[in-house]
Amino acid sequence: MEYNTTRNYLIMKEYGRNIQKMVEYLVTIEDDEERQRNAMAVIELMGTLNPHLRNVEDFRHKLWDHIFNISGFSLKVESPYPIPTIEKLRAKPDRLPYPKKYPRNRHFGKNLEMIIDKAVHEDNPEKKEGFTQCIGNYMKLAYSNWHKESVHDDAIKAELLAITDNQLEFHPGHTAHIPAPVSFVPSGNVAGAADQFRSSKRKNFQQNKFKSSNSGSGGSKSRDNNNKHNNKYNKNRNK
């Protein structure tokens, strides 16, 4: 019996051991035409075993790259796509250039400094004022998140002036004027509407009083019926 510990390393597990054995046999074939024909048959079999690759763009290109990878890049066949190499497979990507600029005010973050620079160099006064108000509101939010308490608008105003060298001035918003409630009563009929409101209120009070009296009488009747039933049950039980 053959165990996996005695077999060679399985390069691509999604294709299985049998596909790898077929590819290893392809390498040993000496006739070029026969090797090419058998390689095409193995490619078709690999596509059948992995139908999800058919939805991938250029899935046949991926299958050809896989068959070369399984053979250890030693398979000599003609491919309709560029033949990959082991150097390209093991090539490491370039190192990402991380930004090394540290923000001056870390509790506000680097993005706020970018917005402040954009607001300072803004020529349109309306846009500049809008940037300033957004920056001030964000500073208030960041302060609340860090200190878990509210902050006065004058403190935000002073700090923004200090950060921007007196170039941006935050103007705290005033309380919005709350309009009076809209009246649906036509003009000139205010007295009649008041009388109608008082009469409806008196009517509702009388209806509630009548309901409460009925519920009270109904409750006393139900209690009397329960007492009679209990007395009758106790008499029959004593007999």
Side-chain angles (χ1 to χ4, degrees):
M1 185 175 181
E2 187 179 7
Y3 293 95
N4 288 334
T5 54
T6 60
R7 297 174 178 174
N8 55 352
Y9 177 71
L10 190 59
I11 299 174
M12 301 192 71
K13 298 179 181 180
E14 58 267 28
Y15 293 105
R17 176 71 60 178
N18 293 328
I19 293 293
Q20 182 162 326
K21 288 184 176 180
M22 292 179 186
V23 176
E24 292 174 354
Y25 174 73
L26 291 176
V27 178
T28 60
I29 297 177
E30 297 181 357
D31 189 9
D32 296 338
E33 295 182 359
E34 184 180 359
R35 191 189 316 113
Q36 184 71 30
R37 184 175 61 254
N38 289 328
M40 296 292 294
V42 173
I43 287 291
E44 295 296 332
L45 181 58
M46 290 168 65
T48 304
L49 294 177
N50 296 274
H52 61 279
L53 292 177
R54 297 183 182 274
N55 298 327
V56 180
E57 187 179 359
D58 296 336
F59 82 100
R60 295 190 67 86
H61 189 183
K62 186 180 292 292
L63 293 177
W64 278 99
D65 291 344
H66 288 174
I67 196 173
F68 283 111
N69 187 16
I70 294 173
S71 66
F73 302 95
S74 59
L75 183 62
K76 304 298 182 182
V77 292
E78 294 181 1
S79 174
Y81 306 98
I83 298 177
T85 59
I86 191 172
E87 290 79 10
K88 186 177 181 180
L89 178 65
R90 296 180 179 179
K92 294 182 180 180
D94 297 333
R95 200 173 175 84
L96 291 175
Y98 287 97
K100 295 182 179 181
K101 181 181 178 182
Y102 297 98
R104 297 186 298 272
N105 302 281
R106 295 189 178 182
H107 56 289
F108 290 140
K110 184 179 65 176
N111 293 330
L112 185 66
E113 291 187 0
M114 296 172 61
I115 298 175
I116 288 175
D117 293 338
K118 185 175 180 62
V120 168
H121 295 89
E122 180 63 42
D123 297 331
N124 191 345
E126 294 183 358
K127 290 185 178 181
K128 189 171 186 177
E129 182 65 24
F131 275 129
T132 305
Q133 298 303 317
C134 292
I135 291 169
N137 293 329
Y138 178 78
M139 290 172 65
K140 291 174 63 176
L141 178 62
Y143 188 94
S144 301
N145 291 335
W146 276 82
H147 298 279
K148 305 299 181 183
E149 61 183 9
S150 60
V151 59
H152 200 271
D153 293 334
D154 293 339
I156 297 297
K157 181 178 180 181
E159 189 166 1
L160 183 59
L161 287 173
I163 293 175
T164 61
D165 296 332
N166 298 327
Q167 295 183 14
L168 296 179
E169 183 177 0
F170 174 63
H171 299 286
H174 300 285
T175 305
H177 176 68
I178 301 175
V182 180
S183 177
F184 295 96
V185 180
S187 60
N189 197 19
V190 178
D195 295 337
Q196 185 179 1
F197 173 75
R198 284 194 292 270
S199 62
S200 62
K201 187 176 182 181
R202 189 182 302 109
K203 184 178 180 180
N204 293 333
F205 175 75
Q206 292 176 357
Q207 290 179 355
N208 294 333
K209 186 176 180 181
F210 178 75
K211 290 180 180 179
S212 62
S213 62
N214 288 339
S215 63
S217 61
S220 60
K221 289 181 181 179
S222 61
R223 286 194 296 271
D224 294 339
N225 292 332
N226 291 333
N227 293 331
K228 290 180 181 179
H229 178 73
N230 293 332
N231 293 333
K232 186 177 180 180
Y233 174 75
N234 292 330
K235 290 179 181 180
N236 293 332
R237 185 176 181 183
N238 292 329
K239 291 179 181 181

